[in-house]
Amino acid sequence: MYPINPQVIAMVQEELEKEVLALMQLLEDAADCVDLEKFKGHLTALSGALKVLELPSATAFMQAVSELADNPVQLASGSYEAKAVYAALQCFSAYLQQLANLKQDNLMLLLPEINELRTVAGKPVMDERDAVRDCTPENLPLLNVSLRTEDER
């Protein structure tokens, strides 16, 4: 578990909530398929705000969402994939709202959503042992979050 600094959270809370809501809105508004360029733009902004927090749970969550955006998975309106991402974002939003009340970051709070996103992206799920071992700030730097464009794939 990692300590949480409420003052730092207060600095970025509004930006975090704004970007999560924008991602959810893109999923809701998609007629056929989510505009991945806009989706990635909001992910980049969210990643930037999360860098300040240096929380393993948020970092692992962002990596799972980014892997999904980097894969050829189509987030078609109403698809299983889009619903899974939307549900994970809802949980992440609730997690972000509770950050100031938490004393320490607890990756296990987001592990079910991270695993759902990993499943959608075709990645193996992480058990608690893997998550504790692999999801440390040193192993999951937000600087390594990939948001490749279509041309780069």
Side-chain angles (χ1 to χ4, degrees):
M1 295 216 206
Y2 295 85
I4 293 177
N5 184 335
Q7 291 84 10
V8 175
I9 292 168
M11 287 175 19
V12 295
Q13 186 81 32
E14 188 177 323
E15 182 67 21
L16 293 171
E17 290 176 12
K18 181 182 102 177
E19 294 303 331
V20 170
L21 289 174
L23 288 166
M24 292 170 68
Q25 193 66 49
L26 277 174
L27 290 167
E28 285 178 3
D29 293 346
D32 255 347
C33 196
V34 172
D35 183 336
L36 281 181
E37 293 307 313
K38 286 183 182 178
F39 194 81
K40 290 177 184 182
H42 289 295
L43 283 178
T44 300
L46 184 58
S47 293
L50 286 169
K51 282 181 192 178
V52 175
L53 298 179
E54 297 180 348
L55 299 175
S57 56
T59 304
F61 183 87
M62 283 304 302
Q63 182 166 350
V65 174
S66 297
E67 286 174 353
L68 186 61
D70 284 344
N71 282 334
V73 173
Q74 292 297 317
L75 295 176
S77 179
S79 69
Y80 165 74
E81 294 85 355
K83 289 176 183 177
V85 172
Y86 190 87
L89 287 168
Q90 283 181 313
C91 290
F92 190 61
S93 179
Y95 163 81
L96 292 174
Q97 291 171 5
Q98 292 300 314
L99 273 179
N101 300 328
L102 299 173
K103 301 285 188 236
Q104 293 183 326
D105 181 37
N106 185 347
L107 178 64
M108 299 308 130
L109 295 174
L110 289 175
L111 189 58
E113 286 71 34
I114 291 167
N115 278 332
E116 183 67 22
L117 293 169
R118 290 176 61 86
T119 298
V120 170
K123 305 275 184 185
V125 298
M126 291 190 293
D127 62 20
E128 292 177 7
R129 185 185 62 226
D130 293 337
V132 170
R133 182 192 66 227
D134 297 341
C135 298
T136 62
E138 300 82 31
N139 292 338
L140 289 173
L142 281 172
L143 295 175
N144 289 343
V145 170
S146 172
L147 295 172
R148 296 173 294 178
T149 63
E150 290 292 321
D151 296 335
E152 297 170 324
R153 287 190 193 159

